[in-house]
Amino acid sequence: MAGPALTIALLLKTSELVDICRQWLPSNRYELMVLPMDGEADLVSRLEQQREAIDAVVVEQQLLDPDTRDQLMSTGLLFPAVVVGELKGHVDYHSEELHLASDQLAQLGYNIDAAISRYLRQGRVDGRPDEAASRAVGTLSRRLQERLGYLGVFYKRDPARFLGSLPPDERHELLESLQRTYRDLLISYFSDPAAANQALESFVNTAFFIDLPITRTVEIHVDLIDEFWKQLRLEGHKNDFLQDYRLALLDVMAHLCEMYRRSIPPDIPLSGTGSSRFRREPDLPEAPEVST
């Protein structure tokens, strides 16, 4: 890669978050555009000024109130987005956004790639017949396809960013971040399915782009369930219901299977002497469509 491929706008009020984002978005892949949100200019005007230069945004959740969201929609300021903040289970910006908690930003780069993939795959980020939004999304989609190729980042996982290729310290931090995401998934799985789905999407996106072994996913699940079991036992509560959380693991596996299925370009044969990059998992089952 000759230079940074993607320009990412950081719309963050918290300076600590800006520093963390810089840490996890390598300069050889992302060019960061920090748009300060501590002055008089609001989020809409900041984005309007840089509309043609931005490929994706990382935006702090507290900046996205309903009025701001409506303005962004009406002016067509819709970009692939990762929203940083609580997993509340509702849409903050547009329907193809992804969410990360502030203590899970080690996964940021992978989820930016996933957000761009979703944006390109859907073509539109909102079902309303809004002409400005439709034109803006179409223009940005074409620009991203020109820069990334027709298939975009979804089919171009970078082996240098796979878990096994990372330095030990970075690998450790990334796995801890994934474990926190999976914890959020389990905690809200039955009580708040919408919030759980946001955590599930973040976990699965990162797992896919880092080529996380299935055995490691199972290990994360088992370790957390064991931790919950010990805590409940210590507090004198029943813990037999924890076996129901196997459903969460099955849900994660189904979503991962679907991502691998979608990652095979349509011109690659599924049998015979197909491309060697897909031979590693020849028996991967085809999952039914799973809503995200």
Side-chain angles (χ1 to χ4, degrees):
M1 185 182 300
L6 299 168
T7 299
I8 311 300
L10 302 182
L11 296 135
L12 305 165
K13 294 190 71 171
T14 312
S15 59
E16 291 82 3
L17 287 181
V18 174
D19 293 338
I20 295 171
C21 289
R22 288 186 185 278
Q23 176 187 351
W24 292 109
L25 295 176
S27 59
N28 65 334
R29 186 176 180 87
Y30 307 102
E31 182 175 356
L32 301 187
M33 179 188 295
V34 180
L35 301 180
M37 299 305 302
D38 54 359
E40 293 184 1
D42 62 11
L43 183 148
V44 176
S45 61
R46 296 282 190 190
L47 286 176
E48 183 63 57
Q49 292 167 9
Q50 302 293 338
R51 179 195 289 265
E52 299 303 320
I54 296 172
D55 295 319
V57 300
V58 178
V59 56
E60 201 164 349
Q61 189 177 53
Q62 61 177 296
L63 298 172
L64 294 166
D65 57 79
D67 289 341
T68 298
R69 183 189 173 203
D70 288 343
Q71 290 181 56
L72 291 169
M73 189 68 64
S74 63
T75 54
L77 290 168
L78 302 174
F79 303 91
V82 176
V83 177
V84 179
E86 283 186 71
L87 304 184
K88 298 181 178 180
H90 59 66
V91 173
D92 291 297
Y93 180 17
H94 59 65
S95 60
E96 300 307 317
E97 69 196 24
L98 292 174
H99 293 79
L100 276 176
S102 58
D103 64 347
Q104 294 160 26
L105 291 177
Q107 305 171 58
L108 181 58
Y110 303 104
N111 276 271
I112 286 175
D113 287 354
I116 292 172
S117 171
R118 286 166 63 107
Y119 189 94
L120 290 175
R121 189 172 66 244
Q122 295 297 330
R124 290 196 51 182
V125 293
D126 191 86
R128 295 185 298 178
D130 190 313
E131 265 190 54
S134 182
R135 284 197 305 271
V137 171
T139 299
L140 179 54
S141 293
R142 286 191 294 272
R143 191 172 82 218
L144 287 169
Q145 287 177 358
E146 288 173 1
R147 301 181 72 179
L148 298 170
Y150 177 73
L151 297 174
V153 297
F154 194 69
Y155 304 108
K156 295 181 178 180
R157 293 191 303 163
D158 183 359
R161 302 171 75 212
F162 285 178
L163 185 66
S165 302
L166 300 178
D169 290 348
E170 187 173 337
R171 187 186 317 149
H172 177 72
E173 285 193 62
L174 184 55
L175 285 172
E176 285 196 334
S177 177
L178 272 171
Q179 189 168 38
R180 288 192 288 270
T181 302
Y182 202 94
R183 179 190 297 273
D184 289 343
L185 165 62
L186 292 179
I187 288 173
S188 57
Y189 191 74
F190 291 111
S191 61
D192 190 347
N197 194 57
Q198 290 178 342
L200 186 151
E201 287 177 336
S202 297
F203 183 93
V204 168
N205 289 329
T206 304
F208 174 78
F209 279 105
I210 69 172
D211 202 36
L212 185 72
I214 294 297
T215 52
R216 184 60 68 93
T217 302
V218 175
E219 181 181 331
I220 290 172
H221 176 88
V222 170
D223 286 349
L224 282 170
I225 292 298
D226 187 54
E227 180 183 321
F228 293 164
W229 184 87
K230 290 177 180 176
Q231 184 65 31
L232 288 168
R233 185 181 181 188
L234 185 65
E235 296 174 356
H237 300 300
K238 292 183 178 180
N239 51 39
D240 53 346
F241 68 90
L242 289 175
Q243 63 184 344
D244 295 339
Y245 283 89
R246 289 176 296 184
L247 293 173
L249 180 59
L250 293 174
D251 212 355
V252 168
M253 297 300 185
H255 277 70
L256 272 173
C257 286
E258 178 65 9
M259 287 196 74
Y260 276 103
R261 185 186 71 82
R262 289 179 177 176
S263 73
I264 302 174
D267 58 340
I268 298 295
L270 296 180
S271 60
T273 58
S275 171
S276 60
R277 43 190 295 227
F278 298 107
R279 290 179 191 165
R280 187 169 54 85
E281 295 185 54
D283 298 320
L284 186 68
E286 179 170 334
E289 288 293 335
V290 181
S291 60
T292 57

